[in-house]
Amino acid sequence: MFRGLNTINLDAKGRLAIPAKFRERLAVLCGGHMVVTIDTEERSLLIYPVNEWEEIEAKITSLPTFDPRARRIQRLLVGHATDVEIDGSGRILLPAALREYAGLEKETVLIGQGKKLELWSKASWEGTRDEYLEQVNDESQLSEQIMSISL
């Protein structure tokens, strides 16, 4: 289970140092082998342990290819999916096309999201987070399922 938020700098070659707490979990789950793809809802990246990604990919590729909406998701998620592996220094190399999509430069934010991680540019995350906080305070924006969770 991945949770928490980490601010991490990308190096000049596009390498991201995975925090030790996530690196240890990834070593156990998938031997440090992951898949990075785009988030179709936000300009960010999704990072999955390979075993989790394979389950999602199987579901995506089983969708009917004659459905234009399904085909669009297949092209976006599977088409951008890139295998990455943690190197001996605990880093992953992010391809330039994925960094460009998410607007990643030096300052990034890595967010644990249960079975996956999200990677955002720091500026983009801060703007989106502030937007989310405004919506949380507006109960008309919350579904019944969310309202039923007791904090």
Side-chain angles (χ1 to χ4, degrees):
M1 183 68 76
F2 302 106
R3 61 178 160 257
L5 183 140
N6 296 270
T7 302
I8 305 169
N9 288 333
L10 276 180
D11 72 12
K13 295 180 181 178
R15 293 177 298 200
L16 177 79
I18 302 295
K21 67 179 181 178
F22 292 153
R23 200 168 46 232
E24 292 164 6
R25 182 81 176 125
L26 289 164
V28 170
L29 285 173
C30 59
H33 185 197
M34 296 163 288
V35 174
V36 181
T37 192
I38 65 171
D39 184 335
T40 59
E41 300 296 316
E42 304 284 352
R43 288 290 181 149
S44 63
L45 301 179
L46 305 174
I47 305 172
Y48 291 92
V50 71
N51 53 317
E52 290 292 336
W53 172 254
E54 287 171 348
E55 289 179 31
I56 293 166
E57 186 176 39
K59 291 175 185 176
I60 293 169
T61 58
S62 71
L63 294 170
T65 58
F66 291 114
D67 180 338
R69 296 166 299 181
R71 194 74 186 122
R72 187 171 37 250
I73 291 297
Q74 291 166 338
R75 287 180 177 137
L76 291 170
L77 292 179
V78 178
H80 285 92
T82 303
D83 291 279
V84 297
E85 201 155 339
I86 297 176
D87 68 14
S89 299
R91 303 170 301 192
I92 59 172
L93 176 62
L94 297 168
L98 294 178
R99 292 193 317 263
E100 182 181 319
Y101 172 83
L104 301 177
E105 293 181 5
K106 186 171 182 163
E107 292 184 306
T108 68
V109 175
L110 187 66
I111 306 170
Q113 290 293 290
K115 294 183 178 185
K116 68 179 179 287
L117 299 162
E118 290 183 356
L119 183 64
W120 294 71
S121 76
K122 185 177 179 190
S124 185
W125 167 248
E126 288 173 349
T128 301
R129 178 203 56 207
D130 292 346
E131 226 175 85
Y132 290 164
L133 288 170
E134 287 175 22
Q135 292 172 4
V136 166
N137 291 325
D138 178 0
E139 290 186 10
S140 69
Q141 297 288 321
L142 303 177
S143 71
E144 281 186 37
Q145 284 181 311
I146 293 172
M147 293 295 288
S148 71
I149 297 172
S150 176
L151 296 179

